[in-house]
Amino acid sequence: MRGPKRSLEVLMTGGSGFLGRGIVERLLTQHPEWRISILDLHPPPDNLRKRIAQFIPADISSAQSVNNAFVEYSPDLVVHTAGIVPARKDRYSTDPKQWEKVKAINYGGTRNVLDAAMSSGCRKFLYTSSCTVIIDDLDHDYYNMDESIPVGRATLHYGKSKGMAESYVLAPELASLGLQACALRPATIIGPEDTAVMSLIHDLIRKGETYFIVGDGENFYDWMYIDNAVQAHILAIENLLTTQTAAGQAFFISNQEPVYFWDAFAFIWAQFGHVPKYRIHIPTAIAWFVALILEIMTWFTGNAPTIDRGSVKDGMRTHYSNNAKAMKVLGYMPEVPLTEGIRRACDGYKKHLAAQAAQNGETKKER
Amino acid sequence: MPSLNTIAYYLFHVGELRSIVQWSVWHNPVHERDESKESENLKRCFHFLKLTSRSFASVIQELHPELLVPMTVFYLVLRGLDTIEDDMTIDIGPKEPLLRDFHKHLEDEEWTFDGSGPNEKDRSLLVEFNCVAKEFNKMKKEYQVIIKDIAKKMGNGMADYCKDAAFNKEGVQTVQDYEQYCHYVAGLVGEGCTRMFVEGKLANPVLLQRPELIESMGQFLQQTNIIRDIHEDNVDKRYFWPKEVWSKYVKSLPDLFLPENRELALQCQSEMVLIALRRADECLFYMAGVREQSVFNFVAIPQSMAIATLELCFNNYTMFERNIKITKGQACHLMTQSTQNLQLVCDIFREYARKIHRKNRPQDPHFLDISIACANIEKFIESIFPTQTARTLPKSGEQRPTAVDPETEERRKREEAESRQDMIYIMLAVVTTLVIISGSMIGVAWFFGARFDLAFSAMKDGVKEISGKMGAAAPAASPSEAVHVEL
């Protein structure tokens, strides 16, 4: 089925990142005959770099930089996971400069990579989109959402930029040029090597903010363990190389275990030995009002508020996806259950914290 | 006559008292037995039904006429088997063939059994068992085949357990054994009932192709009973909680009852609740396949009771100290809700799933799994009855955030303006009405001599007094402040 003359060339953008690394490692074990290259701003860890065909340093937000990478290089398939996730206060930013930056990487970067890949002759493209293309619309709840919901309501920078990129990738104009593209929309991914999501939740212990629940605490949130996300990507790659039934399609993927939003947090805190003695439910209206006051105050002082209206809305709304399509077309089935996944992620973060503490100790000694 | 305690309880739980009254006054059976057409023999069977069953007698008697007699006979056959199995005065020697061959006596209008122990409360049923056989022979062949088949499977299952020395000595070993046991005592009943419902064209035949749904119905009920009865079973030295579960917490099952193992007992309990809770969504799925109201009531009432009982047990240490059960008021409320439609039963399941979720403790090792199981119940309900609020998208999902063409946009704006105008008129009408009513009330009061001037001056004094006190309190606070500074 695959090209018989030479081994398959796969380019992985963002291959040094949390998800990208996971996919590269799984591809190396499952398809050792393939040649995997990583395109990223930062080099992958040494042990991974030794095992791949080549590392191409490039900045996807620059067309020039990306085009240089494709000189004399024509992959058979591109997996595009590179992007930027504005976290913490940047998630709810309305700053136009910030938007230009996010758009240049997530939307512009995707265009640069896809255009360059197509000019090099590549016609297979797997894009790591995000469930935020739908849910970064804080004004709505999304119960059991499926792919029939049109993209375009997202207002936050991340979901908006990812949605624009996804629409570009799946556009019929490019398909008519022979492109077979597919987009995966994972829920929030956690895993042992992730520090972004874990640090966000873990920091609340130190800040003493684990005692409050905004809203009734009965809203759902959808998570995804890294191995399951990797598995879905492998299945999508294999689909594009064989039956191609996924071409032109977007798929929601998650652990399919939506859970009460605040319970997942409480479970993570408990893994670090922290169980809040009491939990106060803050009515939505009050929380929103307090957030507004804090925002106004911090607007004068110039500091970042701990809570703002965006995070209040984020903490009380419901969203989870229905993966029936991914299960049917890709054969996706979550392998690692959520409880086990979060436990592993917490163990990973404990190691990270220990390493950090050791490092701090050493630097202190040196001083 | 209700006890003093009961009276006191319902004085403080008027809502539950209301449920009892509501159920006893307003509940209309879907079908009623027509006693005038019943033979003496059939009346005798109903007599035994009422004698042997606390909870099932009324729902069975309200069943669709097609199933009334078959289900009564089925129940009495199972009760007969159960009476023999439970009877500790019968040796395994004679007991084994009795159980294994029980199905052979169903057609035998002569067969009776008087070998039960004197204390068996249902021994009279077996003494007069031939009245059941007489009804059995009169029913449709199809129902006979089903009842006989289930009686055979169950009798053999029970005989196997009676012979199993390890089971009798140490109780259930693995979770698989536990579910196997529940299958014999409850799963098979579900199978028999479902086959009869489908035979009577009162349930969707597709149910027979989903044996896992049928199994969950029985498992959910039986597991809940096993969890709730732990105290009673421990007194009787019968152990149904699987060793695979309790051995994670204590060395022997009775150790769960030791005061120093309180926390471990609760953790063990929550694992048992979790195993049962994972069945709940399939129970709802099954109930969606029932077509006829009386059959729906028949299956839904026990399920609602089960989820309420499970919630009562969850994180409740009292369960290890004495027998617990849901109150009569709660039961009546559940029965009223469970005898209407699937949506109300779903509401009950959602309500209790949330109650369990709220009682869930993060220090419990099963915290997240229980949370996921509760959420899963809600997720299932969401798939059949989608939430529609101001925060969800309109169902069509097609509606674009931007207007399609200027004409529709124009029309939309016009409609919005109209509705805004309507709103203003309504508000105006409301305010006018309020002003007129309160004005006339105050006017009438004044006319009859109300002294508003006194009221006003009293209010003024009150305000002065309060502000005066606050002024006095302020200096009092300063000494403690001084202490803080010194510290």
Side-chain angles (χ1 to χ4, degrees):
Chain A
M1 261 179 285
R2 285 176 222 120
K5 284 171 199 157
R6 61 184 186 111
S7 54
L8 193 90
E9 284 280 352
V10 177
L11 176 68
M12 190 77 206
T13 73
S16 307
F18 170 47
L19 173 64
R21 231 163 39 224
I23 299 171
V24 172
E25 274 166 12
R26 183 88 67 101
L27 282 178
L28 286 169
T29 10
Q30 287 192 359
H31 299 282
E33 72 283 11
W34 294 1
R35 279 172 49 86
I36 321 278
S37 305
I38 289 179
L39 183 152
D40 203 306
L41 205 52
H42 311 286
D46 281 341
N47 56 354
L48 187 60
R49 193 169 174 173
K50 279 182 214 145
R51 300 170 63 198
I52 56 168
Q54 57 171 333
F55 166 62
I56 311 166
D59 173 5
I60 57 165
S61 64
S62 147
Q64 184 61 47
S65 174
V66 173
N67 288 336
N68 286 345
F70 282 84
V71 175
E72 292 177 31
Y73 177 60
S74 169
D76 299 297
L77 182 141
V78 175
V79 183
H80 179 51
T81 71
I84 183 175
V85 188
R88 302 190 181 234
K89 70 172 168 48
D90 285 344
R91 170 159 168 72
Y92 311 103
S93 167
T94 48
D95 179 6
K97 272 189 212 143
Q98 172 72 15
W99 164 240
E100 287 307 324
K101 181 184 154 199
V102 172
K103 192 173 107 179
I105 299 172
N106 288 345
Y107 172 63
T110 303
R111 285 190 68 145
N112 292 341
V113 171
L114 181 52
D115 291 351
M118 287 193 70
S119 342
S120 82
C122 173
R123 288 293 178 272
K124 290 181 196 296
F125 195 83
L126 172 61
Y127 171 60
T128 308
S129 181
S130 164
C131 68
T132 56
V133 300
I134 300 298
I135 60 143
D136 266 5
D137 149 31
L138 295 181
D139 291 332
H140 289 102
D141 285 330
Y142 290 96
Y143 294 88
N144 221 13
M145 60 181 171
D146 62 21
E147 293 80 0
S148 68
I149 302 168
V151 174
R153 275 190 187 82
T155 52
L156 299 183
H157 294 169
Y158 184 64
K160 197 168 153 190
S161 62
K162 291 297 271 189
M164 286 166 67
E166 187 193 283
S167 304
Y168 182 76
V169 170
L170 299 180
E173 292 77 21
L174 294 182
S176 65
L177 297 175
L179 177 68
Q180 285 154 344
C182 157
L184 296 179
R185 297 172 176 171
T188 303
I189 303 176
I190 47 150
E193 316 225 323
D194 152 73
T195 50
V197 179
M198 287 305 286
S199 68
L200 202 73
I201 300 169
H202 184 262
D203 283 359
L204 296 173
I205 303 177
R206 186 172 43 77
K207 291 193 206 157
E209 284 172 17
T210 59
Y211 301 96
F212 305 103
I213 291 178
V214 182
D216 58 13
E218 267 144 21
N219 54 318
F220 292 153
Y221 195 83
D222 216 2
W223 301 85
M224 180 164 218
Y225 184 64
I226 177 75
D227 289 14
N228 300 330
V230 168
Q231 171 69 3
H233 278 78
I234 305 290
L235 289 168
I237 293 169
E238 288 170 348
N239 181 293
L240 289 178
L241 292 171
T242 54
T243 58
Q244 295 153 11
T245 47
Q249 309 281 324
F251 300 90
F252 279 111
I253 49 172
S254 81
N255 243 60
Q256 287 296 275
E257 294 169 284
V259 66
Y260 301 99
F261 179 76
W262 298 95
D263 280 7
F265 278 48
F267 181 71
I268 292 173
W269 295 328
Q271 303 308 302
F272 293 92
H274 175 81
V275 176
K277 284 202 185 63
Y278 56 88
R279 304 197 74 182
I280 300 170
H281 286 264
I282 305 172
T284 319
I286 294 180
W288 188 86
F289 190 69
V290 169
L292 179 68
I293 305 274
L294 279 176
E295 272 178 72
I296 294 170
M297 275 164 58
T298 49
W299 186 75
F300 283 112
T301 58
N303 291 328
T306 329
I307 56 167
D308 49 37
R309 282 168 300 163
S311 59
V312 165
K313 279 186 187 171
D314 234 356
M316 45 153 277
R317 72 208 182 102
T318 283
H319 51 78
Y320 62 90
S321 64
N322 174 355
N323 294 181
K325 188 177 166 190
M327 287 173 171
K328 191 169 163 239
V329 179
L330 303 177
Y332 168 68
M333 214 39 198
E335 292 167 343
V336 181
L338 184 61
T339 308
E340 173 61 20
I342 295 188
R343 280 211 181 96
R344 287 188 203 170
C346 290
D347 288 343
Y349 194 68
K350 278 178 201 164
K351 278 187 200 140
H352 167 80
L353 287 179
Q356 223 176 22
Q359 212 173 14
N360 284 348
E362 266 173 38
T363 48
K364 264 181 201 164
K365 267 182 215 162
E366 278 167 24
R367 276 175 202 164
Chain B
M1 191 55 204
S3 74
L4 218 58
N5 262 341
T6 318
I7 294 170
Y9 178 85
Y10 286 110
L11 272 181
F12 287 98
H13 297 82
V14 183
E16 290 191 17
L17 185 62
R18 180 171 171 267
S19 299
I20 299 177
V21 174
Q22 210 176 5
W23 175 254
S24 30
V25 175
W26 293 110
H27 172 66
N28 288 323
V30 191
H31 306 284
E32 270 177 285
R33 271 173 61 197
D34 185 355
E35 291 198 45
S36 61
K37 287 184 188 157
E38 287 171 2
S39 66
E40 280 311 309
N41 187 62
L42 185 56
K43 280 184 185 153
R44 194 74 191 144
C45 286
F46 283 118
H47 161 76
F48 281 120
L49 176 68
K50 285 181 239 174
L51 191 76
T52 55
S53 162
R54 292 154 299 177
S55 43
F56 280 102
S58 60
V59 270
I60 292 180
Q61 290 183 80
E62 290 177 13
L63 267 176
H64 190 280
E66 170 75 19
L67 284 182
L68 176 64
V69 179
M71 203 54 89
T72 307
V73 170
F74 187 38
Y75 183 84
L76 293 175
V77 168
L78 298 179
R79 177 55 70 181
L81 263 173
D82 199 42
T83 306
I84 295 174
E85 189 218 11
D86 276 352
D87 194 339
M88 291 304 156
T89 65
I90 308 176
D91 267 351
I92 182 67
K95 192 188 260 188
E96 189 187 346
L98 262 175
L99 291 170
R100 292 200 198 275
D101 296 339
F102 196 80
H103 66 281
K104 292 181 185 158
H105 307 312
L106 299 182
E107 294 151 355
D108 184 351
E109 297 188 13
E110 303 298 312
W111 189 84
T112 56
F113 181 71
D114 59 3
S116 303
N119 294 329
E120 278 305 314
K121 64 178 173 55
D122 298 334
R123 80 184 303 277
S124 58
L125 168 66
L126 288 170
V127 172
E128 288 181 56
F129 200 75
N130 54 346
C131 72
V132 179
K134 279 179 196 152
E135 290 307 320
F136 181 86
N137 285 336
K138 278 188 233 162
M139 324 191 281
K140 268 197 210 160
K141 194 83 194 137
E142 289 81 1
Y143 294 127
Q144 291 182 13
V145 172
I146 297 169
I147 295 176
K148 205 168 173 179
D149 182 41
I150 301 294
K152 186 179 170 189
K153 284 182 188 163
M154 191 181 279
N156 279 314
M158 285 173 164
D160 290 344
Y161 278 103
C162 288
K163 269 178 75 183
D164 188 339
F167 171 76
N168 290 315
K169 196 160 160 276
E170 296 165 34
V172 179
Q173 296 294 308
T174 63
V175 173
Q176 202 187 344
D177 295 344
Y178 167 64
E179 302 209 319
Q180 166 106 1
Y181 174 79
C182 293
H183 170 74
Y184 277 115
V185 296
L188 283 175
V189 183
E191 185 194 322
C193 289
T194 311
R195 282 164 67 182
M196 297 213 284
F197 300 154
V198 172
E199 190 59 55
K201 301 197 170 40
L202 303 173
N204 193 331
V206 177
L207 285 181
L208 290 180
Q209 277 140 41
R210 298 291 302 266
E212 75 280 8
L213 300 185
I214 302 174
E215 188 64 29
S216 278
M217 291 290 280
Q219 292 281 344
F220 190 61
L221 298 185
Q222 190 61 30
Q223 292 191 14
T224 303
N225 287 344
I226 289 178
I227 294 169
R228 183 198 57 195
D229 294 341
I230 183 74
H231 178 263
E232 194 181 331
D233 286 339
N234 183 49
V235 172
D236 295 345
K237 304 226 171 341
R238 308 190 317 168
Y239 305 115
F240 297 108
W241 285 27
K243 189 176 180 183
E244 189 184 336
V245 172
W246 58 254
S247 62
K248 289 182 205 162
Y249 310 93
V250 284
K251 286 211 178 71
S252 79
L253 201 145
D255 287 355
L256 281 180
F257 297 85
L258 300 176
E260 64 265 32
N261 289 337
R262 188 188 170 99
E263 179 59 31
L264 293 171
L266 286 174
Q267 290 180 6
C268 183
Q269 176 198 54
S270 76
E271 186 169 345
M272 293 296 292
V273 169
L274 174 64
I275 297 172
L277 203 56
R278 285 187 171 145
R279 300 274 183 173
D281 59 328
E282 289 194 330
C283 296
L284 290 173
F285 200 165
Y286 176 99
M287 289 188 266
V290 175
R291 284 177 182 158
E292 201 266 340
Q293 185 68 50
S294 71
V295 174
F296 181 80
N297 300 354
F298 177 76
V299 296
I301 290 176
Q303 296 293 330
S304 300
M305 301 280 186
I307 191 139
T309 305
L310 210 54
E311 188 271 332
L312 174 72
C313 293
F314 181 59
N315 253 323
N316 183 354
Y317 190 74
T318 328
M319 192 185 92
F320 293 98
E321 296 168 333
R322 57 182 167 84
N323 295 349
I324 53 173
K325 57 177 188 181
I326 52 175
T327 63
K328 181 98 197 290
Q330 235 182 327
C332 285
H333 174 69
L334 291 168
M335 288 196 287
T336 311
Q337 294 284 95
S338 311
T339 46
Q340 325 272 329
N341 55 47
L342 184 64
Q343 188 153 14
L344 285 178
V345 174
C346 283
D347 286 348
I348 290 178
F349 271 63
R350 182 189 276 129
E351 178 191 336
Y352 283 96
R354 286 186 179 171
K355 280 187 177 171
I356 292 174
H357 151 67
R358 271 179 238 135
K359 281 167 84 178
N360 204 1
R361 302 170 309 141
Q363 53 269 55
D364 182 337
H366 312 290
F367 172 75
L368 192 64
D369 284 324
I370 285 174
S371 184
I372 292 171
C374 292
N376 195 43
I377 295 173
E378 289 206 47
K379 185 177 125 185
F380 178 78
I381 297 172
E382 186 64 38
S383 71
I384 37 178
F385 300 112
T387 306
Q388 280 169 357
T389 66
R391 286 187 52 81
T392 54
L393 294 183
K395 197 60 219 128
S396 65
E398 313 294 87
Q399 199 192 331
R400 288 258 164 194
T402 47
V404 196
D405 58 296
E407 219 169 284
T408 20
E409 177 67 10
E410 192 58 38
R411 198 171 55 226
R412 196 180 57 81
K413 272 189 185 156
R414 221 179 314 125
E415 279 166 9
E416 261 178 26
E418 268 172 36
S419 64
R420 212 175 303 134
Q421 214 168 11
D422 287 349
M423 194 64 199
I424 292 170
Y425 284 137
I426 292 171
M427 294 289 280
L428 212 65
V430 169
V431 170
T432 319
T433 317
L434 282 176
V435 166
I436 291 174
I437 291 177
S438 46
S440 51
M441 279 165 72
I442 293 169
V444 170
W446 171 81
F447 182 77
F448 284 104
R451 294 286 305 271
F452 290 112
D453 52 337
L454 287 183
F456 276 126
S457 62
M459 212 149 72
K460 265 184 213 159
D461 288 348
V463 171
K464 262 184 213 158
E465 207 171 310
I466 290 168
S467 51
K469 266 189 193 156
M470 276 170 61
S478 49
S480 66
E481 262 175 28
V483 173
H484 284 300
V485 173
E486 276 163 34
L487 283 173

